[in-house]
Amino acid sequence: MTLNLKITFIPLVALLMSSAACQSQHSDIIAEGAELVLVADDYTFTEGPAVDAEGNVFFTDQPNNRILKWSPDEGVSVFMQPSGRANGLYFDHEGNLLACADEKFQLWRIDSDKNVTVLWEQFEGLDLNGPNDLWVDPNGGIYFTDPYYQRPYWERSESAMKKEQVYYISPDMGNIKVVIDDFARPNGIIGSADGKTLFVSDRGNNKTYSYEILEDGMLSEGTLFCELGSDGMTIDNQGNVYLTGDGVTVFDKNGKQIEHIPTGKKWTANVTFGGPNQDLLFITAMDSVFTLQMNVKGVRN
């Protein structure tokens, strides 16, 4: 079924005034007079938005085992079903869609013809916990988080791994290594436009850290970026970092909160920039997806 529902949900100003959780300071990152727009709400739980080179956004409805595609002109359509219970998504430099397909604890590469290649599924002979979110660096290497969230479709009831870690796969896809091993539960991840800084959320401890990216994909010691964890994350062309959970909370590059965008939903899972000019904030929240016109743009490595 193709959906093309575009309804003005609630004026953003009203949302900001009515939300008790709103702690926003004045910022100019949101376009003047912009309203949060409901794109569609025919889902069970939306996640993992990723933008392609044309500005189309792909996102997941994990309980229904499908990846959907939103286009500014055509609305929403089903891209792939089944989809390996895909969660987080990201495009690589060749235009392939990468997916955290946690049905069988795998990381997938999906080409333009929807052919699937399993990039990784184990570490040191043990099944991964369940890849959750990922980011591709300028060299084509992949960072991904691997928390353990028990899924109803799994036969297992506990992890084979001793830790919930963050991994790096080399650009040639030939090597994998642990780059963060001291988180309670890693989740959201995003890198800076210049590829020099990695932001990773420890949702288990409700904190987000920044890391300098070193040679061979390794990371420096982590620095506390802000006292807030996140499900999904994105970054704009001013270096502001967008965290999700209670709506979307935006921090500047120094870790100072500058904005909060309520969605009216119990949980906001993820966020990215889309559209032909990459200036539409695309938000996945529970059964819905929203857009918001911005004065800033997303970045691609």
Side-chain angles (χ1 to χ4, degrees), residues 26-98:
H26 175 72
S27 75
D28 59 1
I29 62 173
I30 300 171
E32 184 176 358
E35 299 177 348
L36 199 66
V37 175
L38 175 64
V39 175
D41 61 357
D42 190 29
Y43 314 112
T44 301
F45 190 82
T46 57
E47 249 285 12
V51 62
D52 68 10
E54 287 74 45
N56 304 304
V57 177
F58 293 69
F59 64 97
T60 61
D61 181 12
Q62 192 179 40
N64 291 314
N65 199 15
R66 57 184 177 170
I67 298 173
L68 300 113
K69 175 185 177 182
W70 169 83
S71 124
D73 297 325
E74 300 177 3
V76 181
S77 60
V78 175
F79 171 73
M80 176 180 284
Q81 187 175 21
S83 64
R85 300 284 184 174
N87 192 343
L89 305 173
Y90 205 90
F91 278 90
D92 68 15
H93 302 318
E94 287 72 45
N96 302 301
L97 182 61
L98 306 181

Side-chain angles (χ1 to χ4, degrees), residues 7-193:
I7 303 173
T8 299
F9 186 61
I10 300 176
L12 181 65
V13 173
L15 280 168
L16 292 172
M17 292 176 64
S18 64
S19 172
C22 177
Q23 301 174 0
S24 62
Q25 304 175 30
H26 175 72
S27 75
D28 59 1
I29 62 173
I30 300 171
E32 184 176 358
E35 299 177 348
L36 199 66
V37 175
L38 175 64
V39 175
D41 61 357
D42 190 29
Y43 314 112
T44 301
F45 190 82
T46 57
E47 249 285 12
V51 62
D52 68 10
E54 287 74 45
N56 304 304
V57 177
F58 293 69
F59 64 97
T60 61
D61 181 12
Q62 192 179 40
N64 291 314
N65 199 15
R66 57 184 177 170
I67 298 173
L68 300 113
K69 175 185 177 182
W70 169 83
S71 124
D73 297 325
E74 300 177 3
V76 181
S77 60
V78 175
F79 171 73
M80 176 180 284
Q81 187 175 21
S83 64
R85 300 284 184 174
N87 192 343
L89 305 173
Y90 205 90
F91 278 90
D92 68 15
H93 302 318
E94 287 72 45
N96 302 301
L97 182 61
L98 306 181
C100 293
D102 80 1
E103 183 174 26
K104 296 182 179 178
F105 338 120
Q106 297 170 334
L107 193 67
W108 283 9
R109 180 173 60 210
I110 307 168
D111 69 18
S112 58
D113 294 322
K114 303 180 186 180
N115 298 309
V116 173
T117 301
V118 176
L119 296 179
W120 224 273
E121 58 187 337
Q122 290 189 330
F123 180 72
E124 296 182 343
L126 299 176
D127 287 336
L128 294 168
N129 290 319
N132 185 278
D133 201 4
L134 72 164
W135 176 71
V136 179
D137 72 14
N139 297 320
I142 303 170
Y143 292 91
F144 72 93
T145 59
D146 188 46
Y148 189 89
Y149 292 103
Q150 182 63 44
R151 306 299 192 188
Y153 43 82
W154 286 345
E155 293 183 1
R156 66 178 183 180
S157 58
E158 61 182 6
S159 173
M161 310 290 290
K162 293 182 179 180
K163 292 184 177 182
E164 302 180 27
Q165 304 179 126
V166 180
Y167 297 89
Y168 180 72
I169 302 176
S170 60
D172 64 2
M173 302 294 118
N175 181 54
I176 186 173
K177 56 191 172 187
V178 176
V179 291
I180 301 175
D181 65 356
D182 58 353
F183 276 16
R185 179 155 292 168
N187 202 312
I189 188 168
I190 195 70
S192 62

Side-chain angles (χ1 to χ4, degrees), residues 244-256:
T244 58
D246 173 21
V248 180
T249 307
V250 188
F251 295 82
D252 68 15
K253 61 184 179 181
N254 298 313
K256 177 183 178 181

Side-chain angles (χ1 to χ4, degrees), residues 219-257:
L219 304 176
S220 68
E221 290 295 320
T223 299
L224 180 65
F225 177 70
C226 67
E227 293 276 357
L228 184 66
S230 184
D231 197 340
M233 301 167 64
T234 196
I235 195 166
D236 68 25
N237 61 349
Q238 294 183 358
N240 301 313
V241 179
Y242 296 64
L243 309 186
T244 58
D246 173 21
V248 180
T249 307
V250 188
F251 295 82
D252 68 15
K253 61 184 179 181
N254 298 313
K256 177 183 178 181
Q257 181 179 329

